[in-house]
């Protein structure tokens, strides 16, 4: 067979093959290394794939390297904390909330809180990997999903686990507060610094999760909304940090509650889609859309307007003592970063500070509008045509293409969703690399190298948003 017609180009197939004689493998980037070792099992050396070996590899769940690194760092800190009492003043902030006042049974802020945020991010990273790899993914495989589908379901399952728990915690704090659905009362006790232990833990864990999410979106495959999501995490983490330093605990609690509720409703609907509960998925997606609109575009804007109108009625412009919370000057200081340098410096409120915080909140609202526009477009397309393409993600539900060797030396590309692809001959001559996964090569159609599937036969996929078919 003519090599020029038998061997597809790399751009067409986006697949790497290696020489049987063992030519040098493709260099792995740091991002690829983290992705391969964050939630997936350890990939054994390439070997001939058989039904028994594939089942054995699919059922082997070894600790991922990222999990091991996170737990190792935490174990070292814990060992130092317990074995060397003289080091406890330095290690204790990693494991306990700092700045406790026994007289009031409350806490205040301080720079030692940074250590707790770091340890919380490590713990969340380890819990995420363990939950995905050892708990949710095996359950998904037991439910009949394939390797890729089980990983997708596991990732959404972790989102449901985290956001349902943290949203319930935030809602409990909000429901038992004096500002429950009274936005003007949010500022009644400002600039008082003390806060409860649960409120402090809640805000620091949320900040740790945002920082960890910035790391996660940079090591996973980039989606179409990568930069919007990155901007959202950066803006939200900056806003949450600044609000914590300025003592805006209450408004942070309300904003997070309004944001977090939809972040577990969407993954829950997607899990129903992966498990083939079509009607339940449609209902879940409808609840998600309604909740998104009400919380992020109605209540959120009411809160924004309350900040705009109630300041300075509730928070008179000027500077306040961080110790006594009494106003010490009616002229707000131009130094916005005084509280960032030291919590002992006066804390001020001025029109400039007010509009800086409002601008951050407005930026989050703009991103929410962009995303909601995408969601509405997907829902409209699904209802009118019954075939919707996800406008937020490149490859969440992209057809996965596996290669099967045939006796005549060709490779058959077996795509999922019932798409048949003719066999393609692949030359295994030296000089080419083979990308392997669990002993077998796999390619994904994307970018310039898309395999030309028949669009009339290909299943329309929704991906990150919505369900496969309309009700």
């Amino acid at each position: 067979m003519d090599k020029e017609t038998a061997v597809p180009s790399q751009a067409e197939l986006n697949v790497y093959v290696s020489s049987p004689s063992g030519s040098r493998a493709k260099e792995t980037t740091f991002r690829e290394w983290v992705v391969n070792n964050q939630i997936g099992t350890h990939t054994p050396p390439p070997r001939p794939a058989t039904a028994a070996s594939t089942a054995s590899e699919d059922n082997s769940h070894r600790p991922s390297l990222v999990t091991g690194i996170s737990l190792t760092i935490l174990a070292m800190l814990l060992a130092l904390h317990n074995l060397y009492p003289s080091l406890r003043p330095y290690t204790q902030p990693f494991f306990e909330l700092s700045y406790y006042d026994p007289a009031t049974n409350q806490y205040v802020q301080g720079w030692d809180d940074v250590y707790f945020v770091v340890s919380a991010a490590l713990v969340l990273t380890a819990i995420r990997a363990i939950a995905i790899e050892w708990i949710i993914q095996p359950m998904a495989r037991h439910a009949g999903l394939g390797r890729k589908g089980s990983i997708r379901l596991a990732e959404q399952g972790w989102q449901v686990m985290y956001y349902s728990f943290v949203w319930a915690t935030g809602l409990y704090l909000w429901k038992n507060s004096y500002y429950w659905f009274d936005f003007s009362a949010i500022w009644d006790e400002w600039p008082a610094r003390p806060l409860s232990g649960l409120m402090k833990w809640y805000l620091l864990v949320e900040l740790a999760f945002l920082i960890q999410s910035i790391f996660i979106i940079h090591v996973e495959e980039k989606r179409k909304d990568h930069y919007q999501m990155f901007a959202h995490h950066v803006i939200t983490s900056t806003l949450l940090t600044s609000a914590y330093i300025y003592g805006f605990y209450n408004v942070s609690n309300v904003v997070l509650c309004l944001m977090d509720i939809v972040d577990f409703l969407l993954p829950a609907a997607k899990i129903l889609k992966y498990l083939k509960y079509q009607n339940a998925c449609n209902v879940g997606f409808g609840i998600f859309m309604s909740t998104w609109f009400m919380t992020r575009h109605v209540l959120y804007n009411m809160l924004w307007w309350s900040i705009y109108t109630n300041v300075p009625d509730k928070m008179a412009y000027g500077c306040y003592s961080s110790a006594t919370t009494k106003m010490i000057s009616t002229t707000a200081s131009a130094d916005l970063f005084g509280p960032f340098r030291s919590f002992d410096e006066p804390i001020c409120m001025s029109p400039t500070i007010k509009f800086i915080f409002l601008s951050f909140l407005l930026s989050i609202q703009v991103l929410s509008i962009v995303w909601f526009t995408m969601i509405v477009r997907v829902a409209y397309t699904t209802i009118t045509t019954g075939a919707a393409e996800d406008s937020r993600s490149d490859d969440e539900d992209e057809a996965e293409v596996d290669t099967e060797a045939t006796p005549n030396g060709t490779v058959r590309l077996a795509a999922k969703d019932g798409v048949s692809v003719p066999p393609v001959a692949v030359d295994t001559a030296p000089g080419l690399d083979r990308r392997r996964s669990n002993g077998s090569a796999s390619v994904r159609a994307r970018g310039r190298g898309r395999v030309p599937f028949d669009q009339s036969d290909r299943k329309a996929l929704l991906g990150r948003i919505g369900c496969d078919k309309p009700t």
Side-chain angles (χ1 to χ4, degrees), residues 147-203:
R147 182 187 63 85
K148 183 180 181 230
S150 64
I151 292 177
R152 285 193 311 230
L153 186 143
E155 291 173 343
Q156 302 308 313
W158 161 248
Q159 297 285 323
V160 173
M161 288 175 58
Y162 171 79
Y163 279 113
S164 59
F165 172 76
V166 79
W167 177 75
T169 303
L171 186 65
Y172 172 81
L173 289 167
W174 186 14
K175 179 66 174 64
N176 292 277
S177 69
Y178 58 87
Y179 52 89
W180 171 248
F181 272 98
D182 184 0
F183 294 153
S184 63
I186 288 177
W187 320 106
D188 284 350
E189 295 184 0
W190 190 86
R193 291 182 60 194
L195 71 166
S196 67
L198 182 59
M199 176 68 83
K200 180 168 185 172
W201 180 90
Y202 166 73
L203 295 176

Side-chain angles (χ1 to χ4, degrees), residues 80-143:
L80 291 173
H81 182 76
N82 290 308
L83 297 177
Y84 299 95
S86 61
L87 296 178
R88 287 182 184 176
Y90 304 100
T91 58
Q92 187 170 348
F94 286 99
F95 304 104
E96 299 179 11
L97 296 175
S98 303
Y99 307 107
Y100 175 67
D101 183 8
T104 61
N105 193 29
Q106 289 186 313
Y107 294 80
V108 294
Q109 323 103 305
W111 285 111
D112 283 353
D113 294 336
V114 174
Y115 301 112
F116 186 86
V117 172
V118 171
S119 64
L122 292 173
V123 170
L124 288 171
T125 301
I127 294 177
R128 179 183 188 273
I130 291 173
I132 288 177
E133 184 176 329
W134 290 354
I135 301 175
I136 311 176
Q137 191 174 343
M139 293 172 62
R141 297 301 296 267
H142 182 72

